[in-house]
Amino acid sequence: LRRSAASVIQKQVAMRRGFYERNDVPVHHGQARFTGPGTVDVCDDIGGRRTLHGEVIIIATGSRPYRPPELDFSHPRIFDSDTILELPETPHSMSIFGAGVIGCEYASMFRNIGVKVNLVNTREKLLEFLDDEIIDALSYHLRERGVIIRHRETFDRVAPTDDGVVLHLKSGKQLKTDILLWAAGRTGNTEDLGLETIGITPDASGRIAVDEHFRTGADGESAVGDVIGPPALAS
């Protein structure tokens, strides 16, 4: 599975790189920061610096999994949706906190390879933005496969041990499994972009507000993709 995932990712990256090359789109690698309206400085890893200008600059920096500060993601039994792809071996059991698109996808995948799965949902239903018939079908099939779905549960704390992780819920339940996958929320990649120099202030989740034409309110600057929040992810 990991080899297959890595292969798909590599093909996607190569395909997009090919698009840029065929259409003569130059790609500048480095850390970009706004220095003023329509102006971006790009600093590379070897100290080089280049200033780019554009009548329109589109911010499309994407997002990453949200990591609550009280969780130690360096612990070998605590994962997010990025680091789970580096899982060294198949666990016997896992708890997934967060039953959004990512949580449901991983619950399905891990259960189908024989892992015992607790799927912890903070809401009343799975994926509430979908039609009720789809939600009911998804819930039925996950349960039929053996996924234990726990609705209306809230995170309290996590206690990692040498042989597992105990997920403590505010209801008093304690779920001990081999690993924990934290799949609750994502954060926009907006720090250290110099957005304050052009008058853009991201929200608490790092997302940029836009209008129906994806304009940010700053002159000539637009934002698209996961950095603006829902609807996010390829799904």
Side-chain angles (χ1 to χ4, degrees), residues 27-69:
V27 177
H28 305 276
H29 294 275
Q31 171 66 45
R33 284 181 58 86
F34 282 94
T35 55
T39 307
V40 172
D41 272 6
V42 182
C43 298
D44 61 30
D45 293 338
I46 56 174
R49 178 173 168 176
R50 174 167 296 190
T51 300
L52 306 176
H53 301 279
E55 289 182 24
V56 175
I57 295 181
I58 299 175
I59 304 164
T61 48
S63 66
R64 64 186 183 278
Y66 168 67
R67 288 185 163 193

Side-chain angles (χ1 to χ4, degrees), residues 77 87 89-94 110 113-116 178-179:
R77 294 184 178 274
L87 190 66
E89 59 190 21
T90 305
H92 292 293
S93 61
M94 70 186 298
F110 276 96
I113 58 172
V115 179
K116 295 179 181 178
D178 290 342
I179 65 169

Side-chain angles (χ1 to χ4, degrees), residues 148-180:
I148 299 172
I149 304 173
R150 302 176 186 273
H151 294 299
R152 299 179 297 280
E153 294 284 4
T154 311
F155 169 78
D156 183 27
R157 62 189 175 91
V158 165
T161 65
D162 290 339
D163 64 343
V165 180
V166 181
L167 173 61
H168 293 259
L169 302 172
K170 287 190 176 175
S171 63
K173 294 189 180 97
Q174 299 179 18
L175 309 178
K176 183 176 182 183
T177 49
D178 290 342
I179 65 169
L180 169 71

